[in-house]
Amino acid sequence: MTFAGTPRPRPRWYHARTDLDDFAIVSYRVDADALARHLPWGFAPMKMTFADGPGALVSAVAFRDRDFHFRFLPQVGIDCGQINYRAYVTAHGRPGVWFFGTALDHPVVAIPQYVWGMPWRRARIRIEADWDAVPASWHLEAGPAHCTAAELPEPLALLDGFAGEPDWLERLTHPTLGWYRRRDGRVGTYSIWHPVMRPRHLTATSARFPVFERLGLITPDTSPHSVLAQPSLHFDIHTPPHRFVPGR
């Protein structure tokens, strides 16, 4: 059994597209009850059973946008670093991710921040990777947030907390629905599409993400659960986001 991905919705003229270079998902195991305290009514952590007990997962997803543009304006593209901070949840029974916030290294951050009311902020972000090195390496610096990781000699046979590769490919790398707290206090939502990831397995030699620390989910010395990375990945972004209405 393999994970075949999800059907690609027909791109609309008002959608956006981008290629994500040096893409990495740095995940942390957290206490599910602690995570639940940060979620709105009707939202719940995806609870998992790890080798030594129950928990949930959050991730810092970092990459370099290459030629991000709206489909109706292909001649105006941007290149910049980005970090999404997300948790794996269900919203009134539907699986997806809750976004605590996004850091973007570009002035265009004002559009999602002020026009769409999303929890985005401006930050200086540097991401470097050497995919041809042995082992391959990946490095992120964004103020106090940082991560240095190197590729494992062999892919992990089993990712802790998951039944097998199809399970973690679907739940950890392929959520297509996301929700967030808007600036007006309401919940917003948007969706994306990308092909199935074929990630490489890395291990972090050092990592720190203060966003999760301030939420009380990890401590400065917490080690990541996993690092899954890929040199490049195409994304469709179904802009604009809109207000979330349960059941719709």
Side-chain angles (χ1 to χ4, degrees), residues 21 33 67 79 87 111-112 119-120 126 155 197 206 210 216 226 232 236:
D21 292 337
D33 291 336
D67 191 29
D79 303 323
I111 294 177
W120 288 40
R126 182 168 67 90
M197 279 189 68
S206 67
S226 57
S232 189
D236 291 342

Side-chain angles (χ1 to χ4, degrees), residues 81-210:
Q82 182 171 334
I83 309 172
N84 295 330
Y85 295 95
R86 72 191 193 188
Y88 301 87
V89 304
T90 58
H92 299 267
R94 299 185 69 184
V97 286
W98 176 261
F99 285 96
F100 292 112
T102 290
L104 191 76
D105 194 1
H106 197 280
V108 79
V109 71
I111 294 177
Q113 188 175 38
Y114 295 109
V115 177
W116 297 334
M118 302 177 79
W120 288 40
R121 62 180 179 84
R122 180 83 184 269
R124 302 284 287 187
I125 300 171
R126 182 168 67 90
I127 300 173
E128 298 176 340
D130 187 343
W131 300 105
D132 295 324
V134 181
S137 62
W138 185 88
H139 181 72
L140 162 73
E141 287 186 13
H146 65 85
C147 182
T148 297
E151 189 168 19
L152 293 168
E154 297 289 339
L156 292 174
L158 188 65
L159 203 58
D160 190 18
F162 295 93
E165 182 179 87
D167 186 22
W168 61 256
L169 275 174
E170 181 175 7
R171 289 201 285 162
L172 186 58
T173 75
H174 206 85
T176 58
L177 293 175
W179 303 274
Y180 58 92
R181 182 76 69 183
R182 299 189 343 174
R183 292 168 62 89
D184 62 9
R186 297 173 177 175
V187 175
T189 184
Y190 75 98
S191 63
I192 58 91
W193 177 89
H194 63 79
V196 176
M197 279 189 68
R198 298 300 176 205
R200 293 160 69 166
H201 296 252
L202 281 64
T203 185
T205 55
S206 67
R208 185 174 179 187
F209 292 96

Side-chain angles (χ1 to χ4, degrees), residues 66-82:
R66 172 167 49 88
D67 191 29
F68 176 99
H69 64 270
F70 294 100
R71 296 180 65 87
F72 63 84
L73 201 61
Q75 64 271 33
V76 180
I78 66 170
D79 303 323
C80 64
Q82 182 171 334

